[in-house]
Amino acid sequence: MKGVLERHFDKIQNERIDYIKLKLMEAFNDPSSLIRSTVINAMTALLAKIGFQSWPELMKFLLLNLDADHHEFLESSLECTYKILEDIKVNAENFNYQDDKYQSFVSELIPKLLFLCDPKLPTTIKTIALSSLNLFVFSMPPALSNNFGIYYDVLMLSTTDNVAEVRQKACEGFLEIVETKRYLIMSNLIKVIEKLIQLTMDNEPIVKRSAIRFWNEYLNGDDETCLELLRSYLDP
């Protein structure tokens, strides 16, 4: 399905597109994880062709699914949401972040993602939720800006998670911040530095690599204030 959509989309009639949308949504919560994964790939491929604004039913569907108690279906909805957000970021130059439908979707989505980062939830769920939140740092929609304190607390808490993948995503979140929105953590810079130094010495290679990427960005350029702050911390 994904291959057909990518190669022959221009030849598919509009009524066929509507039929494909309907059938994909019907199959989304199939008991088979393989079928759900295939559906997600087809959904994201179709959405990339028709545009975010042309499938509002999918956004409502995903938001509703994020309140589900069934962890497998919740995970599938998160995975689909993440892939949509990732595609939007990759094609940021051609996407209208001020679109009303997008802003409405995001305003409902971000609080749900913050909730799904709860340490008590399954690892896969909180990992995808945190990964999705990290994608928003680049554009910083009002829904994240207004909840940045909560997002910051989630990142800090995630640096101490027992699961390496979650600690890695926390590193990636701080990396996103220092790349594009450094001013947001300046008042808490010492605490962030302390956490990233600890993560640089983490036992898991995937965490170490992400922490090192943070330092590469943090120390990039000629910002003497940042350098002096790090020197004073390492050599008081």
Side-chain angles (χ1 to χ4, degrees):
M1 173 72 75
K2 179 180 179 181
V4 171
L5 288 170
E6 290 176 342
R7 292 192 300 271
H8 305 294
F9 177 78
D10 294 339
K11 300 177 182 178
I12 304 176
Q13 299 173 344
N14 289 337
E15 56 268 26
R16 295 284 186 182
I17 295 296
D18 291 339
Y19 179 78
I20 292 171
K21 288 180 184 177
L22 178 62
K23 290 304 177 182
L24 286 175
M25 292 178 69
E26 288 178 354
F28 188 86
N29 288 337
D30 192 278
S32 168
S33 60
L34 178 59
I35 291 177
R36 293 199 304 273
S37 179
T38 302
V39 168
I40 289 170
N41 288 333
M43 278 182 161
T44 54
L46 177 58
L47 194 67
K49 292 293 185 181
I50 65 177
F52 180 90
Q53 295 80 4
S54 299
W55 202 353
E57 300 87 358
L58 176 59
M59 304 307 121
K60 294 177 182 178
F61 177 77
L62 292 174
L63 288 171
L64 184 63
N65 273 9
L66 291 182
D67 291 325
D69 293 328
H70 195 296
H71 284 167
E72 288 185 353
F73 296 161
L74 173 56
E75 183 179 323
S76 295
S77 298
L78 276 171
E79 183 181 349
C80 187
T81 301
Y82 174 80
K83 288 185 176 181
I84 291 170
L85 297 174
E86 187 177 40
D87 284 347
I88 288 174
K89 184 178 179 182
V90 169
N91 298 288
E93 293 182 358
N94 302 314
F95 186 80
N96 179 16
Y97 284 98
Q98 305 308 314
D99 179 80
D100 289 342
K101 290 181 180 178
Y102 172 76
Q103 289 295 335
S104 177
F105 172 62
V106 168
S107 67
E108 293 187 57
L109 174 62
I110 287 178
K112 293 178 185 290
L113 293 175
L114 289 167
F115 176 79
L116 293 172
C117 291
D118 190 315
K120 297 188 292 293
L121 290 173
T123 297
T124 305
I125 290 174
K126 59 188 179 184
T127 300
I128 303 175
L130 186 52
S131 297
S132 299
L133 285 166
N134 291 343
L135 290 173
F136 282 116
V137 174
F138 168 77
S139 60
M140 192 54 65
L144 183 58
S145 179
N146 295 337
N147 290 284
F148 185 80
I150 300 175
Y151 172 59
Y152 169 82
D153 290 341
V154 166
L155 289 179
M156 292 297 281
L157 183 60
S158 298
T159 63
T160 61
D161 197 277
N162 292 329
V163 179
E165 287 79 3
V166 178
R167 300 197 301 277
Q168 178 194 22
K169 297 306 176 185
C171 289
E172 292 177 356
F174 283 120
L175 172 61
E176 288 285 341
I177 294 171
V178 297
E179 282 181 335
T180 61
K181 300 290 187 297
R182 184 177 299 208
Y183 65 91
L184 290 171
I185 58 168
M186 293 309 293
S187 61
N188 293 302
L189 196 52
I190 289 293
K191 292 180 181 178
V192 174
I193 286 176
E194 289 175 347
K195 288 295 184 182
L196 268 296
I197 287 176
Q198 293 171 10
L199 293 170
T200 306
M201 298 182 287
D202 198 278
N203 291 328
E204 295 292 338
I206 62 171
V207 180
K208 285 183 178 180
R209 286 194 294 268
S210 292
I212 290 171
R213 288 183 62 208
F214 169 88
W215 293 117
N216 288 341
E217 181 62 32
Y218 176 78
L219 298 173
N220 185 36
D222 300 318
D223 191 337
E224 285 299 325
T225 301
C226 292
L227 291 172
E228 287 301 322
L229 181 57
L230 184 57
R231 289 192 191 105
S232 66
Y233 183 83
L234 294 175
D235 188 22

